Amino acid sequence: MQPENPATPPPARRVIVGLNAAAESAVIADERNLPYARLPNGIVLQELWQQRRIPAGPNDRPEAEWTLGPAAPAEGAVVRILTLPAVHGLPPAETNLHTDASLHVITMLNGELIVVLEDDEVTLTAGDSIVLRGSMHDLKNAATEPASFVYTSFPLSMSFEQR
């Protein structure tokens, strides 16, 4: 499925390296038509990688039956590109603090992202990263340009109540 909305970022490219017939490292896949979804709040989510088990095996590939959505995995890991739309003069959305039993690593590609916490907030720009370990948070874009970031998520080994 290809994006049709002009506000949708260009499709992400995924190049997968493996071994060729001579057991040498080589490109085994070069893909642009990756799964994506537009969430009800306008966020575009592009699925780069899904890892069912950790540690990963050398021949693992994403599994089609895994559903594409914002939820963090209960096992394994996901790597996604998320793009928050620009606000274009609209009033800021209500803060929706939420959490799950996951470790999230966010690395900004472009734009500006505000990470709202219970007792603080931090603004990230291109090249910045943040690590959220089961933390209450909300993500906002108050700028006039979309904000895109790589989002990697792993389940936490501790129980959710221990955060």
Side-chain angles (χ1 to χ4, degrees):
M1 180 196 288
Q2 287 295 318
E4 295 177 7
N5 183 318
T8 300
R13 178 181 179 201
R14 175 174 62 199
V15 178
I16 301 174
V17 175
L19 298 178
N20 64 16
E24 299 169 330
S25 60
V27 172
I28 61 170
D30 190 341
E31 307 162 326
R32 283 209 184 266
N33 295 323
L34 304 180
Y36 86 97
R38 182 178 301 279
L39 305 179
N41 59 4
I43 294 173
V44 175
L45 184 153
Q46 297 180 79
E47 198 79 18
L48 294 177
W49 192 260
Q50 303 166 341
Q51 185 63 46
R52 180 66 67 134
R53 290 169 295 283
I54 295 177
N59 297 316
D60 288 353
R61 294 291 299 254
E63 298 178 22
E65 70 270 8
W66 270 31
T67 57
L68 182 67
E75 58 184 27
V78 294
V79 181
R80 299 170 169 153
I81 293 178
L82 273 68
T83 301
L84 277 66
V87 294
H88 295 295
L90 298 173
E94 286 279 324
T95 298
N96 178 22
L97 291 173
H98 59 280
T99 190
D100 52 45
S102 299
L103 177 124
H104 303 296
V105 181
I106 293 172
T107 300
M108 292 299 297
L109 297 173
N110 55 58
E112 186 173 285
L113 181 70
I114 300 169
V115 181
V116 180
L117 306 169
E118 290 173 291
D119 188 37
D120 210 350
E121 70 178 44
V122 62
T123 300
L124 304 175
T125 59
D128 294 344
S129 296
I130 191 168
V131 177
L132 300 165
R133 299 178 287 190
S135 308
M136 293 291 288
H137 67 280
D138 191 15
L139 306 177
K140 294 186 176 209
N141 178 7
T144 58
E145 298 296 324
S148 293
F149 54 91
V150 176
Y151 164 96
T152 305
S153 183
F154 307 90
L156 287 172
S157 63
M158 61 186 228
S159 75
F160 180 64
E161 290 75 27
Q162 292 175 326
R163 70 172 186 95

